[in-house]
Amino acid sequence: MKHFDSGKRQINLLVAAPRGFCAGVDRAIKIVELAIEKYGPPVYVRHEIVHNRYVVDELKKLGAIFVEELDEVPDGVPVVFSAHGVPKAVPHKAEERGLEYLDATCPLVSKVHRQAERQVEAGRHIIFVGHANHPEVIGTFGQVEEGQMTLVETMDDVHNLAPTNPDELAFLTQTTLSVDDTRAIVEELQARFPNIVGPKGEDICYATSNRQDAVKKIAADSELVLVIGAPNSSNSLRLVEVAEREGSASHLIQRADEIDLAWLDGVETLGLTAGASAPEILVREVILKLEENFEVTQTKVKTTDEKMIFKLPRGLEAV
Ligand code: SF4
């Protein structure tokens, strides 16, 4: 192994691109910032606006107050709904209370919500592929009446399905799933229920699939891949799994100080990426920590360009 005069060991760092913020996260954070500018602090936010502690703490400094339920929002102050989407009952309740609200639901999640409504209107029962208790799943289930949607998480769940009318089914998926696992589950659904209807492929969003493609590429050449993201961030957890399946070890970290340098013993090529809710400043922080300890040769591994931008809600563009 090469050593330079600095006495530090050399390490090759492959940095995935795309990584980090997606258009939906970017929009959601801007909505909170602009709401604070427009209404003045405090602005309440129902649930973490995106699953990242750093982002939440920065917004708190500007005057955002994070709560889990609408009941915790006092009368007369504006409230923002998180990027993951909310059950229909939440805006209804806000309206009943006369609360001003801003919906930061990612437009790609809203698209799934509309599809759910349309399928139920067409008389179909929905099989939803997703992770139990994730806020996006709770929000999507909350678009239809109870009993109109069934959750499947695994292949076993698909095998155990016993729908009343197997010819009147539709499927939809969470936006931040593993592309490979979901493809297999959808294929199994289509094999079991040949008349099931659904989106072409699935509803996994562009950002999730692009970040999984990019991490696959770096993982193939790395002994270890670090994924910056929160433990409750679905798309970040999937990046760790994808890297591991490519044969690399992988760790999820929230900040640079969580890196255990012993992980890097014997590692010559290290991969680095970040989930869709992790800001670039945290990537730079990790690179800095690596540079303090190693002679780092950095290579950007780009698999695609992303140009997606989502419009802000009406009333906020002109702030
Ligand atoms: S990960 Fe995808 S669905 Fe989620 S906020 Fe980003 S673009 Fe939207």
Side-chain angles (χ1 to χ4, degrees), residues 21-25 50 83-84 106-109 136 175-176 203-208 235 276 308 310:
F21 276 9
C22 59
V25 163
V50 300
H84 315 96
C106 175
L108 299 181
V109 174
E136 182 185 327
T175 57
T176 51
D203 299 300
I204 294 173
C205 75
Y206 80 98
T208 298
N235 81 89
M308 191 77 84
F310 295 134

Side-chain angles (χ1 to χ4, degrees), residues 19-34 49-51 55 59 83 104-107 206-207 211 275-280 306-313 316:
R19 62 172 178 276
F21 276 9
C22 59
V25 163
D26 203 44
R27 173 178 180 270
I29 294 168
K30 268 194 202 123
I31 289 174
V32 179
E33 289 170 348
L34 291 171
I49 185 73
V50 300
H51 287 155
V55 170
L59 291 172
T105 303
C106 175
Y206 80 98
R211 277 150 194 69
S277 38
E280 187 60 17
E306 281 183 352
K307 298 199 171 74
M308 191 77 84
I309 297 173
F310 295 134
K311 272 199 221 149
L312 290 165
L316 274 188

Side-chain angles (χ1 to χ4, degrees), residues 21-211:
F21 276 9
C22 59
V25 163
D26 203 44
R27 173 178 180 270
I29 294 168
K30 268 194 202 123
I31 289 174
V32 179
E33 289 170 348
L34 291 171
I36 294 170
E37 221 173 280
K38 180 171 174 176
Y39 300 100
V43 163
Y44 277 69
V45 183
R46 184 188 175 278
H47 194 68
E48 284 187 339
I49 185 73
V50 300
H51 287 155
N52 188 275
R53 171 81 57 81
Y54 179 90
V55 170
V56 165
D57 287 346
E58 288 302 298
L59 291 172
K60 276 184 188 167
K61 285 183 205 160
L62 295 178
I65 296 178
F66 291 85
V67 294
E68 277 313 306
E69 287 306 336
L70 218 48
D71 301 345
E72 299 165 64
V73 180
D75 288 335
V77 291
V79 58
V80 180
F81 303 145
S82 80
H84 315 96
V86 288
K88 266 185 182 170
V90 174
H92 286 170
K93 206 163 143 198
E95 276 159 27
E96 270 169 27
R97 284 185 53 196
L99 289 176
E100 186 133 12
Y101 69 84
L102 293 152
D103 190 356
T105 303
C106 175
L108 299 181
V109 174
S110 300
K111 194 174 136 198
V112 180
H113 290 180
R114 300 294 74 80
Q115 286 171 349
E117 284 179 325
R118 275 201 296 275
Q119 296 299 355
V120 166
E121 274 163 26
R124 298 189 182 99
H125 182 85
I126 298 168
I127 308 297
F128 190 81
V129 188
H131 296 295
N133 303 322
H134 188 279
E136 182 185 327
V137 177
I138 295 169
T140 304
F141 267 70
Q143 302 307 307
V144 298
E145 301 290 322
E146 221 179 310
Q148 291 173 323
M149 207 184 278
T150 302
L151 181 69
V152 295
E153 295 186 81
T154 62
M155 215 47 121
D156 276 351
D157 292 344
V158 176
H159 297 148
N160 292 334
L161 284 171
T164 323
N165 191 350
D167 290 327
E168 293 295 341
L169 293 178
F171 75 86
L172 295 172
T173 80
Q174 193 177 333
T175 57
T176 51
L177 300 177
S178 149
V179 174
D180 296 336
D181 290 352
T182 308
R183 188 179 302 128
I185 288 187
V186 167
E187 281 170 7
E188 191 60 18
L189 281 172
Q190 289 165 331
R192 272 208 70 192
F193 309 109
N195 292 327
I196 195 166
V197 298
K200 230 190 247 158
E202 5 65 14
D203 299 300
I204 294 173
C205 75
Y206 80 98
T208 298
S209 52
N210 287 349
R211 277 150 194 69

